[in-house]
Amino acid sequence: MEMKVKSHGRVSKRSQYKRYTRSRAGNVLFFTFLTLFGLFSVLPLFYCVITSLKPLEELLIVPPRFTVSRPTLQNFTELPGLLASLRVPLSRYIFNSVFIALVSTILHIICSAAAAFTFSKSKLKARTLLFTIVQMALLYNAYTLAIPQYLIFSKTGIIDTYWVYILPAIPSAMGCFLMKQYIDSAVPDALLEAARIDGAGIMRIFIQIVMPLVKPAWLTLFLFSFRDMWSIVPSGTIFSEQLKTLPQVMTSIAAGGIARTGSSMAASVILMLPPIIVFWLTQSNVMETMSSSGIKE
Amino acid sequence: MKTDAKMLKQPSFSKISTQSLGDRTSFVVLMLPFMILFTLFTVVPVLASIILSLFDYDMVSTPIWSGLDNYLRMFTGDKVFPIVLKNTLVLAVITGPIGYALAFILAWCISEFGPILRTFLAFLFYAPALAGNAYLVWSVLFTGDSNGTVNSLLLSFGLISDPIIWFKDAAYNFTIIVIVQLWMSMGVSFLANVAGVQNVSHEMYEAGAIDGIRNRWQELWYITLPSMKSILLFSAVMQIQAAFSIGAVITVLAGYPTVNNSLDTIVTYLTDIGTMRYEFGYAAAISVVLFALMALFRVIIGSLLNLLGK
């Protein structure tokens, strides 16, 4: 209740001040720009959803329409049948995707938080150097590291197993970096000091005090990691059909020409829904975490 | 929330004051799982690339020392590398700065609105990056036969007489990929900007108004941008990362190799040399060049940001 009153006070103060720095011409410019970019952003996704709801007759109309007159879920219900030739049931791909996304995301959050806590609050001499290295690694992602990583995968023998998805996803530099910056700003040393006086050890401080306090940060890591892992398509590291993920088989549906357009868009809709739901569940926490995401030099 | 945390922080408490050997062991144990995997999958690959780039290696026979031959080959013996290097740089120089500027400008524009509308707009701009492989919709829009949405529209308006094979035509494929990449580029950096603009303190703006700031452009240059320097650097790093690793989108939409290599980038070329041709020494040398390029741009932007508000 108090928080609400506070933020309300803030808003009115801001708008009062806004009056003399905001010109009408500027507002029009802002509005036009936002509308144009908003349409550019949304229309393709909208078209994707519309196409997924079109029955075959409507898919073949020339020129194509950007609306659907008799929406149907046929494209969605047809999906399992389209995959029948692969001898692995659709449910297996769904299981793989969910399993890989959840396991790697949870391990990523735990490992990143533990490392970030050490980087932020320990007095180890190496911590600054190690964190600098992690921060430098923000530049490189799975795509740029693909070839050297491929060598490591084959030397460690994890190619064509679940590990090849999960293990490299755990030490993502961005997660650890965001977590460390958030712990710096949200976990006061005095609080840890008090727990210390009460006799808590480092492990207990981490689990019982730090983890609950940095909930916004781990929800943020959940969103980013889940998004990445849910849409992962491995290149050259998975050969067994029963280890493939949903986006991997969905891409092959798209290769089937005009008759498959509806099904391919239905597959895209199914793939885009979970990350969107996760975003709406976590968005206020994500915004709070991102406000401490700056790199100080 | 944030200011509360800051007020609690008192200067006399620095970290956890007494750290015994046992405490330090606990800290090391906490850090270990992440650091081991990080070393294995990021540090070792980068170092291994540097070493391997000096050898001929196909994963089967013993590596043979070849000195700088792999690097020389890139610029003298290989006809394709200069093309993919040029493609990568042009794509990065176009999509990087535009994506970077857009991420800030959009965040700055939507900060004018109340929390609900702001979150909704942030979602709209972030949605393409969020929505997994939804970029497949562009392949429906730009299918090369007369069934493709854009072709079909152009044909029925009589603007063209034959369908354009968009992704096989060097006159169009580059532009389309730039558009798709920009469409998807409002990612983590955009969210950081949204949070960053929101976080600039109102006292700063009020003080600015007293000091004679009269319009939003002055406010932007003298207050907003300088207070967001660290977020802008984070955002730059994210955009460099994205701009130099454009690969998956191209392979899915336009295939590999593209017509006359017009759209092949260092990343797609690397995958070809590594996983198809097994020339790991040469692939490693190309990765080293890519790492160096990205690091170079990171340094340039870091120093440019230091000029903000001066």
Side-chain angles (χ1 to χ4, degrees), chain A residues 15-27:
Chain A
S15 43
Q16 219 176 31
Y17 157 70
K18 256 191 218 167
R19 256 176 246 148
Y20 52 97
T21 53
R22 298 295 182 265
S23 64
R24 174 163 296 174
N27 285 339

Side-chain angles (χ1 to χ4, degrees), chain A residues 25-52:
Chain A
N27 285 339
V28 170
L29 191 68
F30 270 39
F31 186 75
T32 318
F33 178 69
L34 282 177
T35 314
L36 287 178
F37 202 86
L39 289 175
F40 170 60
S41 206
V42 163
L43 284 183
L45 290 176
F46 178 73
Y47 187 58
C48 176
V49 176
I50 290 293
T51 310
S52 77

Side-chain angles (χ1 to χ4, degrees), chain A residues 14 17-18 22 26-27 41 47 64 118 120 123 138-140 149 154 184 193 196 227 295 297, chain B residues 9 15 17 19 23 27 30 41 59 112 119 124 129 149 152 183 202 216 219 230 241 291 294 298:
Chain A
R14 172 105 210 232
Y17 157 70
K18 256 191 218 167
R22 298 295 182 265
N27 285 339
S41 206
Y47 187 58
T118 300
S120 176
K123 282 181 171 172
L138 281 176
L139 262 187
Y140 307 124
Q149 275 190 350
S154 70
D184 279 353
E193 206 62 57
R196 171 31 58 90
R227 191 220 83 100
I295 299 177
E297 274 193 347
Chain B
K9 217 181 241 176
K15 309 292 168 195
S17 60
Q19 285 187 6
D23 287 350
F27 272 127
L30 281 173
F41 293 114
M59 268 184 89
E112 301 276 311
T119 310
L124 288 190
T149 311
S152 186
W183 181 68
H202 297 277
R216 67 177 112 203
E219 189 183 286
S230 62
Q241 187 212 66
F291 297 154
M294 293 170 77
R298 156 81 169 75

Side-chain angles (χ1 to χ4, degrees), chain A:
Chain A
M1 204 49 217
E2 212 184 272
M3 282 287 284
K4 252 185 187 165
V5 174
K6 226 181 180 176
S7 66
H8 183 76
R10 236 192 197 171
V11 169
S12 64
K13 213 174 186 183
R14 172 105 210 232
S15 43
Q16 219 176 31
Y17 157 70
K18 256 191 218 167
R19 256 176 246 148
Y20 52 97
T21 53
R22 298 295 182 265
S23 64
R24 174 163 296 174
N27 285 339
V28 170
L29 191 68
F30 270 39
F31 186 75
T32 318
F33 178 69
L34 282 177
T35 314
L36 287 178
F37 202 86
L39 289 175
F40 170 60
S41 206
V42 163
L43 284 183
L45 290 176
F46 178 73
Y47 187 58
C48 176
V49 176
I50 290 293
T51 310
S52 77
L53 296 172
K54 282 183 181 172
L56 191 60
E57 320 79 271
E58 284 191 51
L59 284 170
L60 297 172
I61 295 177
V62 176
R65 299 209 181 118
F66 292 88
T67 51
V68 52
S69 44
R70 287 189 301 110
T72 165
L73 288 177
Q74 205 183 336
N75 292 318
F76 291 85
T77 51
E78 263 174 20
L79 282 178
L82 285 177
L83 298 172
S85 61
L86 297 170
R87 279 169 291 128
V88 176
L90 181 65
S91 56
R92 179 60 190 247
Y93 299 111
I94 297 176
F95 168 80
N96 285 346
S97 277
V98 173
F99 175 77
I100 291 162
L102 287 183
V103 171
S104 49
T105 298
I106 290 167
L107 291 175
H108 166 62
I109 292 171
I110 296 172
C111 293
S112 305
F117 175 53
T118 300
F119 290 145
S120 176
K121 301 297 179 191
S122 83
K123 282 181 171 172
L124 298 174
K125 286 206 181 73
R127 75 189 171 98
T128 326
L129 174 69
L130 292 177
F131 183 66
T132 312
I133 295 173
V134 171
Q135 195 171 301
M136 274 160 57
L138 281 176
L139 262 187
Y140 307 124
N141 64 11
Y143 296 112
T144 40
L145 289 168
I147 293 306
Q149 275 190 350
Y150 182 81
L151 285 168
I152 307 282
F153 297 157
S154 70
K155 293 285 170 205
T156 47
I158 59 172
I159 284 191
D160 210 24
T161 64
Y162 280 127
W163 296 115
V164 82
Y165 293 107
I166 298 170
L167 288 180
I170 296 173
S172 146
M174 192 175 73
C176 183
F177 171 79
L178 291 177
M179 188 60 96
K180 194 261 182 188
Q181 301 301 78
Y182 191 75
I183 293 180
D184 279 353
S185 79
V187 180
D189 290 337
L191 189 66
L192 305 185
E193 206 62 57
R196 171 31 58 90
I197 292 162
D198 290 342
I202 297 298
M203 291 293 177
R204 232 183 95 195
I205 291 181
F206 172 64
I207 295 165
Q208 294 190 341
I209 298 173
V210 178
M211 279 310 261
L213 268 180
V214 298
K215 193 175 138 219
W218 50 260
L219 286 173
T220 307
L221 267 58
F222 187 90
L223 171 69
F224 294 153
S225 173
F226 180 82
R227 191 220 83 100
D228 285 349
M229 297 311 290
W230 178 253
S231 58
I232 196 166
V233 178
S235 60
T237 52
I238 293 288
F239 307 108
S240 315
E241 199 58 45
Q242 69 269 22
L243 290 179
K244 287 186 178 168
T245 56
L246 209 49
Q248 230 171 330
V249 278
M250 296 303 189
T251 317
S252 62
I253 296 179
I258 175 78
R260 292 282 182 88
T261 307
S263 314
S264 143
M265 290 298 102
S268 289
V269 171
I270 292 177
L271 284 171
M272 76 169 91
L273 283 179
I276 288 177
I277 294 168
V278 173
F279 174 79
W280 281 106
L281 293 176
T282 57
Q283 52 86 14
S284 63
N285 294 287
V286 172
M287 290 307 168
E288 191 180 335
T289 311
M290 295 318 285
S291 65
S292 63
S293 68
I295 299 177
K296 282 136 201 132
E297 274 193 347

Side-chain angles (χ1 to χ4, degrees), chain B residues 254-271:
Chain B
Y256 181 91
T258 49
V259 55
N260 299 331
N261 304 105
S262 54
L263 252 183
D264 298 344
T265 61
I266 295 185
V267 180
T268 59
Y269 188 55
L270 257 181
T271 317

